[in-house]
Amino acid sequence: MGTIIINIKELLQTRTSAIAKVSGKLMDILPKIENAYLLMENGLISDFGAMDNCPATENHLIIDARGKIVLPAWCDSHTHIVYAGNRETEFVDRIAGLTYEEIAQRGGGILNSAIQLNEMSEGELYEQSKIRLEEVIKLGTGAVEIKSGYGLTVEGELKMLRVIKRLKENYPVTIKSTFLGAHSFPTAYKENHTAYIDLIVHDMLPAIAKENLADFVDVFLETNYFSVLETERILREAKKYGLVPKIHVNQFTAIGGIAKCVAMEALSVDHLEIVTDADILALKNGNTMPVALPSCSFFIDIPYTPARSIIDAGLPLALASDFNPGTSPSGNMNFVVSLACIKMKMTPNEAINAATINGAYAMGIEKTHGSITVGKVANLIVTKPLNSYYQIPYSFGSDVIDMVIVAGEVMG
């Protein structure tokens, strides 16, 4: 028996044929049907359209969405949901005036999380992480990428990736896994970068490949972290194991990283709080998706990704939460969409496109997720009664979600 949603006030992101992404001016076009229905069967979208053409409903479970908005569930393409403990004391340090870099130099930041993670059992790490995953599902996320990167040892990285794999097996949301062993240099390797990269290349990558634990590879390409040349070496080796690049870059400085990532055929480049004309040109010459993480900018008070410059140059843009313990301890994509409108001057249409179809592209799942298209996975948000879908970003502090549907099933 299928499930049908009827009397939908506005059905958003309706695409009769699948598209990979939207770019430039097309980002401000969000196809919709008013007074609509949507039919789900076997976890997939099987039909949708105007209520005037609604099929007979006797053999279906009926959800009446009168006054409500229905749209694809969020596709969050950049998170660090699997981590140990928290970094609340660093939150207070920032209030006292310390910068992200100063906290890192004092042994905080990523290295702080690595210490906590390596002291925690895999079982406890899973129990902590599943709570966060359940939270983001309730907030409307139907597909999520999760990175490692707080192990910084062979066993620590494997522990994180095994937890991600276990989450994949136990939850209906789509989960993509990213190996981020090149998140920071452990203290023991601060003066010997080559030795740590050797560890990544000769020990971590083969072990990850043996257990098939990752879809993507990531590197923190940034001043005082991994250089362009160091990143290039890691990506070349990771590609031998079939890992597609998704790179942290241009969070604090622009050092030519974006051009290298595009040349290395990265699926996405994430952060981009600093963007130069040369970076824009490089992105125009490839198929790499720029990804903005506005809740990170909000939380640590750094510039926001210049969305207008990127979109007005004819490029696509995706939005993601960067859920992590240090710089964005929230996976609330509703707030991310609101921030994009408020702080990055994106229109609601652009922001919703960025968090759905373009987010799916940044995870490599655009053929199955991110739009209301027949044959795609039935991952949906059903809002409470709203005046219009503009209210989703407008009411930034309110819970506007009535239910979340993942693979055709209403999540409890």
Side-chain angles (χ1 to χ4, degrees):
M1 181 176 68
T3 299
I4 189 165
I5 308 175
I6 61 172
N7 299 321
I8 303 167
K9 182 174 182 177
E10 294 176 305
L11 179 62
L12 307 182
Q13 193 61 281
T14 53
R15 309 274 180 178
T16 54
S17 59
I19 60 168
K21 59 186 176 182
V22 288
S23 307
K25 292 180 180 180
L26 294 179
M27 286 197 64
D28 200 29
I29 298 174
L30 185 66
K32 69 173 183 175
I33 300 173
E34 296 182 356
N35 191 26
Y37 73 91
L38 184 146
L39 178 62
M40 299 170 279
E41 294 176 307
N42 301 315
L44 303 178
I45 297 169
S46 58
D47 190 19
F48 64 90
M51 280 299 294
D52 289 344
N53 300 315
C54 185
T57 60
E58 291 86 355
N59 297 320
H60 301 108
L61 176 66
I62 299 172
I63 298 173
D64 192 335
R66 194 176 304 274
K68 301 174 182 180
I69 314 297
V70 175
L71 67 155
W74 307 126
C75 297
D76 190 351
S77 67
H78 182 129
T79 83
H80 307 253
I81 284 175
V82 173
Y83 62 83
N86 61 69
R87 297 197 335 235
E88 294 170 0
T89 57
E90 294 176 15
F91 171 62
V92 179
D93 288 339
R94 276 196 299 275
I95 293 171
L98 292 181
T99 65
Y100 179 87
E101 293 88 343
E102 288 169 337
I103 291 169
Q105 289 168 4
R106 292 180 6 163
I110 296 165
L111 297 182
N112 182 359
S113 287
I115 290 170
Q116 295 185 65
L117 186 131
N118 283 299
E119 291 175 347
M120 182 174 287
S121 71
E122 187 173 314
E124 177 57 25
L125 184 62
Y126 173 82
E127 291 300 320
Q128 289 194 7
S129 300
K130 75 174 188 179
I131 293 171
R132 301 181 196 111
L133 181 61
E134 290 168 1
E135 177 188 16
V136 302
I137 294 170
K138 290 178 181 178
L139 291 167
T141 293
V144 60
E145 178 258 21
I146 308 176
K147 303 177 189 293
S148 68
Y150 294 127
L152 306 184
T153 63
V154 176
E155 283 307 313
E157 291 296 306
L158 290 174
K159 181 194 300 183
M160 293 188 73
L161 292 167
R162 287 170 183 149
V163 167
I164 298 170
K165 183 177 182 179
R166 190 173 165 191
L167 292 171
K168 283 186 186 182
E169 294 168 347
N170 293 339
Y171 287 87
V173 293
T174 299
I175 297 176
K176 289 290 188 175
S177 177
T178 300
F179 167 55
L180 179 55
H183 202 186
S184 182
F185 286 98
T187 302
Y189 294 93
K190 281 294 183 185
E191 306 303 323
N192 192 351
H193 288 192
T194 300
Y196 184 61
I197 295 172
D198 284 344
L199 184 70
I200 291 173
V201 168
H202 299 307
D203 296 86
M204 293 185 188
L205 283 172
I208 291 163
K210 183 178 180 180
E211 295 186 41
N212 192 27
L213 291 175
D215 303 295
F216 305 119
V217 61
D218 195 349
V219 178
F220 192 3
L221 200 177
E222 181 57 76
T223 300
N224 298 323
Y225 290 87
F226 290 80
S227 70
V228 174
L229 287 176
E230 289 167 341
T231 299
E232 182 177 14
R233 182 189 172 200
I234 293 166
L235 297 189
R236 287 194 186 283
E237 295 298 325
K239 280 192 168 187
K240 294 177 182 177
Y241 297 96
L243 301 184
V244 177
K246 282 173 56 69
I247 309 300
H248 283 63
V249 65
N250 283 45
Q251 183 173 5
F252 303 111
T253 57
I255 57 175
I258 288 178
K260 178 56 66 177
C261 292
V262 172
M264 297 291 289
E265 300 180 322
L267 179 59
S268 72
V269 283
D270 303 24
H271 273 293
L272 313 189
E273 286 86 351
I274 307 298
V275 177
T276 67
D277 290 343
D279 295 327
I280 295 286
L281 182 60
L283 287 165
K284 282 186 171 183
N285 291 327
N287 296 307
T288 300
M289 176 66 71
V291 179
L293 311 171
S295 52
C296 173
S297 297
F298 171 83
F299 192 71
I300 63 173
D301 196 23
I302 61 174
Y304 287 82
T305 301
R308 289 267 52 93
S309 297
I310 293 170
I311 296 170
D312 293 346
L315 290 166
L317 185 65
L319 291 169
S321 73
D322 195 18
F323 192 176
N324 77 83
T327 62
S328 184
S330 167
N332 189 341
M333 284 293 291
N334 306 285
F335 182 57
V336 168
V337 168
S338 292
L339 277 178
C341 295
I342 297 164
K343 293 295 187 179
M344 295 163 57
K345 304 306 177 185
M346 294 175 70
T347 67
N349 288 358
E350 291 171 336
I352 292 172
N353 273 320
T356 55
I357 188 62
N358 283 2
Y361 181 94
M363 296 172 65
I365 58 171
E366 70 280 1
K367 292 181 180 179
T368 54
H369 294 70
S371 68
I372 303 299
T373 303
V374 171
K376 283 197 173 186
V377 176
N379 285 0
L380 308 169
I381 294 170
V382 181
T383 72
K384 297 174 181 176
L386 300 178
N387 293 323
S388 77
Y389 67 90
Y390 291 170
Q391 198 170 340
I392 297 171
Y394 170 78
S395 299
F396 70 92
S398 300
D399 176 11
V400 300
I401 295 178
D402 181 45
M403 69 175 68
V404 177
I405 297 171
V406 176
E409 298 295 327
V410 177
M411 303 303 289

